[in-house]
Amino acid sequence: MDWATRVMRVTPSVTLAIDAKAKAMRGSGEDVCSFSAGEPDFDTPAHIREAAKTALDQGKTRYGPAAGEPALRQAIATKLNNDNHLPYRAENILVTNGGKQALFNLMLALINPGDEVIIPAPYWVSYPEMVHLAGGTPVIVKTTAETGYRITPAQLEAAITPKTRLFVLNSPSNPTGMVYTPEEIRELAAVIVRHQLWVVSDEIYEKILYDDAKHLSIGAVSEAAFERTIVCSGFAKAYAMTGWRVGYIAGPAEFIKVTTKIQSHSTSNVCTFAQYGALAALQGSQACVAEMVAAFRDRRAFMYKRICEMPRLRCLKPQGAFYLFVDISETGLSSVEFCDRLLEEEKVATVPGKAFGMDDHIRLSYATDLATIERGLTRLAKFVERL
């Protein structure tokens, strides 16, 4: 059978084989310590669950507006005004089926065949593939530990060509946990405005910050930057709502109309009663977020200390999100071989850095309990010592 060209441009996930293997091992009763999860291990807070139950009891189970429930669109706009200093209104918001659909809708709306999209590496696995599916060309700009895995204004400037349409910015970052400083954000904004690019700011981890890290949304830098910015985010990470599939795009009203049209012909509205859970997340107490971040902070400290004690492994201390991006180059193994052998020999599941554009790294998630972290790191240390 002949497949569509767009499908053939998409690279198969290098993580699928290891993930399937880990699940099969667990299914057969083996004790696998997983550091691969990109989701909080906490239950969704009770007041959010109760709001969805109430919505169900009230019969909020029918089709809704493709752009989202009006109350939720307004609540998101209010949040962006108050927390991020972005002067959006409800008409500037599209509620999507998770943060992933927000990004996919954006790519379909903005990218024409031949358009270039600048993506700093390491990157979240789906960015380049979404660009491929939209017919565009990902332009990957490698970063290093010396710059905190953050693209510099000079690197961004050098990557721009007449075909450049969009720059992808993710802070706090998956997979590195690094956070751009406010000054770095301002410098990148200056380049974007000077070249009249679009920038998508993926802010899904904005509430998960540590130490003195501060999140500045690039659209808040200036009116000119605001006009070139599209924000994509959601409720999955901060509120432990990964399975609820509620995200959003914020951008110019005309852009929201275009992406709403795309969504109306693909998935239509987001699950109606789930949107009322998201509404409760925004309007209720934020103590649940603080509690989860405090737990992540403790886990981060424990995992980072242990990794730094292991020979031939190096990593930077993350400033946000819930990942460590570990340099394994001194082991001489590729990330896929390292992860496959670690799972086979010590029953520890991790994610190959190849999936993020850096094959000499692996990603470890500390979105799991401390007991599992301690057990898994002990096994990792044994594995590294044998190499």
Side-chain angles (χ1 to χ4, degrees), residues 35 86 125 140 150 159 163 200 216 227 257 329 332 336 348 355 367:
F35 296 148
L86 299 170
V125 295
I140 307 302
R150 299 187 290 266
K163 295 182 179 180
V200 54
L216 174 63
E227 291 173 355
K257 289 180 182 177
S329 58
V336 175
V348 177

Side-chain angles (χ1 to χ4, degrees), residues 203-240:
E203 304 185 359
I204 193 76
Y205 294 97
E206 65 165 310
K207 291 183 177 291
I208 306 176
L209 297 169
Y210 312 112
D211 304 330
D212 298 324
K214 291 181 173 59
H215 173 73
L216 174 63
S217 183
I218 195 165
V221 167
S222 66
E223 183 176 348
F226 179 72
E227 291 173 355
R228 309 301 305 175
T229 297
I230 299 164
V231 174
C232 288
S233 192
F235 298 82
K237 313 300 184 179
Y239 298 100

